[in-house]
Amino acid sequence: MSEACDLEALSSRLRAFAEEREWERFHSPKNLCMALIKEAAELLEHFQWLTEQQSRALDEQVLGEVSLEMADVLIYLVRLADVLGVDLMAAASEKLAINARKYPAERVRGSARKYDQY
Amino acid sequence: MSEACDLEALSSRLRAFAEEREWERFHSPKNLCMALIKEAAELLEHFQWLTEQQSRALDEQVLGEVSLEMADVLIYLVRLADVLGVDLMAAASEKLAINARKYPAERVRGSARKYDQY
Amino acid sequence: MSEACDLEALSSRLRAFAEEREWERFHSPKNLCMALIKEAAELLEHFQWLTEQQSRALDEQVLGEVSLEMADVLIYLVRLADVLGVDLMAAASEKLAINARKYPAERVRGSARKYDQY
Amino acid sequence: MSEACDLEALSSRLRAFAEEREWERFHSPKNLCMALIKEAAELLEHFQWLTEQQSRALDEQVLGEVSLEMADVLIYLVRLADVLGVDLMAAASEKLAINARKYPAERVRGSARKYDQY
């Protein structure tokens, strides 16, 4: 990945994109969350009738479509973060620290318990 | 944002996290998509009974909770990208170029048409 | 509504539909849940850029489209109930009783508290 | 199922429930769609780390929890139908007729093509 690997740069591009189209008034956090989950569902649709094994071995065309759906999820997530003033990478680091405390490797290793208990 | 602003670095940390816990076998793309949409729904839950205006003015506590839900979405998205071998930032750039062609600013500006037509 | 107003009858029709097409093997509960949430997202897509007020006043064409998306949600929900052996109406009654205890009218009336606390 | 197997009766009970609590103003179609997809995600959460085979063989406790999540989906779907004035069973019948034309049994039988093509 190049210097384009920068959520801040992506955020700026998305903000300019919305401003040029005067779409800010549609971009309330409530609406952006709805758009985000809609894109997550379009991503999921590609996998709903596949076995897990098939989902690990997508052909090139499907993988290309899946990539663009993932891009849509990222786009709305980054746009939402900008509107709310959230630092996504900082939040991810904080969440990872929480998860590390919640699921100590030595305790959950090789066990599906985390995944079986709700 | 610091140098931590790096999806690649986050991706590596998530991979190590999964490996240490031997969770790779659970992390099929099919399953990761399900986890991703579940997190998107937990994010959306914060907004479902709010007006759009209220959603633009979250108090500090709710904003903190919302940030962590957004982190969860990012975490599963980045993990999925790693498992599938997708370059998220490249995909986002490609998608932005598609959107720019699809919604020329001079044609859609000030209009909600895009948002009213399905 | 006529005698067609019968979830059991709908369930039988859906089972026959799947059997005639030999789709039972695709209809694992895991997969049906994914299909269900996909349809819920297609429903939600109709509303994502509308104000709440606009969402209360759909024109005839959109309402027709929305009805069919709602039908899809019902279809997958009823199909899932059949595969799992769940009695949907009994479950709904049980859940309503739980909700009545959880949200006593005299305590929550006129208040948005339920909707503001997560 | 008894005479309680009646979506109209459920709809009336839900309307009364909302009125007693003065929740109608929160129950815009936009908001109800969000609540519906949130419940669909809670349902899906039970299945996200299970194999398809495991999802077909839930133990009693999980099945009970899953039933109540399905009830929540039905409750919001029926409530939304009431607010929008949609006849759910009529819509389901219409959708089934469309699907029967779209997927003729003799053409799709034994094939996963429908499920592989988007």
Coordinates of all heavy atoms in Angstrom, one line a residue, chain A residues 30-31 34 37 45-46 49-52 115-116 118, chain D residues 30-31 34 37 45-46 49-52 115-116 118:
Chain A
K30 N -27.4 9.2 12.0 CA -28.4 8.2 11.9 C -28.5 7.6 10.5 O -28.5 6.4 10.3 CB -29.8 8.8 12.3 CG -31.0 7.9 12.3 CD -32.2 8.7 12.7 CE -33.5 7.8 12.7 NZ -33.9 7.4 14.0
N31 N -28.5 8.5 9.5 CA -28.6 8.0 8.1 C -27.4 7.3 7.7 O -27.5 6.3 6.9 CB -28.9 9.2 7.2 CG -30.3 9.8 7.3 OD1 -31.0 9.4 8.2 ND2 -30.6 10.8 6.6
M34 N -27.4 3.7 8.7 CA -28.3 2.9 7.9 C -27.6 2.5 6.6 O -27.7 1.4 6.2 CB -29.6 3.7 7.7 CG -30.4 4.0 8.9 SD -31.9 5.0 8.6 CE -33.1 3.8 8.0
I37 N -25.0 -0.2 7.3 CA -25.4 -1.6 7.4 C -26.0 -2.1 6.1 O -25.9 -3.3 5.9 CB -26.5 -1.7 8.6 CG1 -26.5 -3.1 9.1 CG2 -27.8 -1.2 8.2 CD1 -27.2 -3.3 10.5
E45 N -24.4 -10.7 1.3 CA -25.2 -11.4 0.3 C -24.3 -12.3 -0.5 O -24.8 -13.4 -1.0 CB -25.9 -10.4 -0.6 CG -26.9 -11.0 -1.5 CD -27.6 -10.0 -2.4 OE1 -27.1 -8.9 -2.6 OE2 -28.6 -10.4 -3.0
H46 N -23.1 -11.9 -0.8 CA -22.2 -12.7 -1.6 C -21.9 -14.1 -0.9 O -21.5 -15.0 -1.6 CB -20.9 -12.0 -1.9 CG -21.0 -10.9 -2.9 ND1 -21.0 -11.1 -4.2 CD2 -21.2 -9.5 -2.7 CE1 -21.2 -9.9 -4.9 NE2 -21.3 -9.0 -4.0
W49 N -25.2 -18.1 0.6 CA -25.5 -19.5 0.2 C -24.2 -20.3 0.0 O -24.3 -21.5 -0.4 CB -26.3 -19.5 -1.1 CG -27.6 -18.7 -1.0 CD1 -28.0 -17.7 -1.8 CD2 -28.7 -18.9 -0.1 NE1 -29.2 -17.2 -1.4 CE2 -29.7 -17.9 -0.4 CE3 -28.9 -19.8 1.0 CZ2 -30.8 -17.8 0.4 CZ3 -30.1 -19.7 1.7 CH2 -31.0 -18.7 1.4
L50 N -23.1 -19.7 0.2 CA -21.8 -20.4 0.1 C -21.5 -21.2 1.4 O -21.9 -20.8 2.5 CB -20.6 -19.5 -0.1 CG -20.7 -18.6 -1.4 CD1 -19.4 -17.8 -1.5 CD2 -21.0 -19.4 -2.6
T51 N -20.8 -22.3 1.3 CA -20.3 -22.9 2.5 C -19.1 -22.1 3.0 O -18.6 -21.2 2.2 CB -19.8 -24.4 2.2 OG1 -18.7 -24.2 1.2 CG2 -20.8 -25.2 1.5
E52 N -18.7 -22.3 4.2 CA -17.5 -21.6 4.7 C -16.3 -21.8 3.8 O -15.5 -20.9 3.5 CB -17.2 -22.0 6.1 CG -18.2 -21.5 7.1 CD -17.8 -21.8 8.5 OE1 -16.7 -21.3 9.0 OE2 -18.5 -22.5 9.2
Y115 N -16.9 -18.4 21.2 CA -17.8 -18.4 20.1 C -19.1 -19.2 20.4 O -20.0 -19.2 19.6 CB -17.1 -18.9 18.9 CG -16.0 -18.1 18.4 CD1 -14.7 -18.4 18.6 CD2 -16.3 -16.8 17.9 CE1 -13.7 -17.6 18.2 CE2 -15.3 -16.0 17.5 CZ -13.9 -16.4 17.7 OH -12.9 -15.6 17.3
D116 N -19.1 -20.0 21.4 CA -20.3 -20.8 21.7 C -21.1 -20.2 22.8 O -22.3 -20.5 23.0 CB -19.9 -22.2 22.2 CG -19.3 -23.0 21.0 OD1 -19.7 -22.7 19.9 OD2 -18.5 -23.8 21.3
Y118 N -23.1 -17.0 24.5 CA -23.7 -15.8 24.1 C -24.0 -14.9 25.3 O -24.5 -15.4 26.3 CB -25.0 -16.0 23.3 CG -24.7 -17.0 22.2 CD1 -25.1 -18.3 22.3 CD2 -24.0 -16.6 21.1 CE1 -24.9 -19.2 21.3 CE2 -23.7 -17.5 20.1 CZ -24.2 -18.8 20.2 OH -23.9 -19.7 19.2
Chain D
K30 N -39.2 4.6 9.4 CA -37.7 4.7 9.4 C -37.2 4.0 10.7 O -36.3 3.2 10.6 CB -37.3 6.1 9.3 CG -35.8 6.3 9.2 CD -35.5 7.8 9.0 CE -34.0 8.1 9.0 NZ -33.4 8.3 7.6
N31 N -37.7 4.4 11.8 CA -37.2 3.9 13.1 C -37.5 2.4 13.2 O -36.7 1.6 13.7 CB -37.7 4.7 14.3 CG -37.2 6.1 14.4 OD1 -36.3 6.5 13.5 ND2 -37.6 6.8 15.4
M34 N -35.1 0.2 11.5 CA -33.8 0.1 12.2 C -33.9 -0.9 13.3 O -33.0 -1.7 13.5 CB -33.4 1.5 12.7 CG -33.1 2.5 11.6 SD -32.8 4.2 12.2 CE -31.0 4.0 12.7
I37 N -34.0 -4.5 11.8 CA -32.7 -5.0 11.4 C -31.8 -5.3 12.6 O -31.0 -6.3 12.6 CB -32.0 -4.2 10.4 CG1 -31.0 -5.0 9.6 CG2 -31.3 -3.0 11.0 CD1 -30.5 -4.4 8.3
E45 N -26.6 -13.3 15.3 CA -25.4 -13.5 16.3 C -25.3 -14.9 16.8 O -24.2 -15.4 17.0 CB -25.5 -12.4 17.4 CG -24.3 -12.4 18.3 CD -24.4 -11.4 19.4 OE1 -25.5 -11.0 19.8 OE2 -23.4 -11.1 20.0
H46 N -26.5 -15.5 17.0 CA -26.4 -16.9 17.6 C -25.8 -17.8 16.6 O -25.4 -18.9 17.0 CB -27.9 -17.3 17.9 CG -28.4 -16.7 19.1 ND1 -28.1 -17.1 20.4 CD2 -29.3 -15.7 19.2 CE1 -28.8 -16.4 21.2 NE2 -29.5 -15.5 20.6
W49 N -20.7 -18.0 14.6 CA -19.5 -18.8 14.7 C -19.9 -20.3 14.6 O -19.0 -21.2 14.8 CB -18.8 -18.6 16.0 CG -18.4 -17.1 16.2 CD1 -18.9 -16.3 17.2 CD2 -17.6 -16.3 15.4 NE1 -18.4 -15.0 17.1 CE2 -17.6 -15.0 15.9 CE3 -16.9 -16.5 14.2 CZ2 -16.9 -13.9 15.4 CZ3 -16.2 -15.5 13.6 CH2 -16.2 -14.2 14.2
L50 N -21.1 -20.7 14.4 CA -21.5 -22.1 14.2 C -21.3 -22.5 12.8 O -21.4 -21.7 11.8 CB -23.0 -22.3 14.6 CG -23.4 -21.9 16.0 CD1 -24.9 -22.3 16.2 CD2 -22.6 -22.5 17.0
T51 N -21.0 -23.8 12.6 CA -21.0 -24.4 11.3 C -22.5 -24.5 10.9 O -23.4 -24.4 11.7 CB -20.4 -25.8 11.3 OG1 -21.2 -26.6 12.1 CG2 -19.0 -25.7 11.8
E52 N -22.7 -24.7 9.6 CA -24.1 -24.9 9.2 C -24.7 -26.1 9.9 O -25.9 -26.1 10.3 CB -24.2 -25.1 7.7 CG -23.9 -23.8 6.9 CD -24.1 -24.0 5.4 OE1 -25.3 -24.3 5.0 OE2 -23.2 -23.9 4.6
Y115 N -28.2 -19.5 -6.4 CA -27.5 -19.1 -5.2 C -26.1 -18.6 -5.5 O -25.4 -18.1 -4.6 CB -27.5 -20.2 -4.2 CG -28.8 -20.5 -3.7 CD1 -29.5 -21.7 -4.0 CD2 -29.5 -19.6 -2.8 CE1 -30.7 -22.0 -3.5 CE2 -30.8 -19.9 -2.4 CZ -31.4 -21.1 -2.7 OH -32.6 -21.3 -2.2
D116 N -25.6 -18.9 -6.7 CA -24.3 -18.5 -7.0 C -24.2 -17.2 -7.9 O -23.2 -16.6 -8.0 CB -23.5 -19.6 -7.8 CG -23.3 -20.8 -6.9 OD1 -23.1 -20.5 -5.7 OD2 -23.2 -21.9 -7.3
Y118 N -25.5 -13.4 -8.7 CA -26.0 -12.3 -8.0 C -26.5 -11.3 -9.1 O -25.9 -11.0 -10.0 CB -25.0 -11.7 -7.1 CG -24.3 -12.7 -6.2 CD1 -23.1 -13.1 -6.5 CD2 -25.0 -13.2 -5.2 CE1 -22.5 -14.1 -5.7 CE2 -24.5 -14.2 -4.4 CZ -23.2 -14.6 -4.7 OH -22.6 -15.6 -3.9

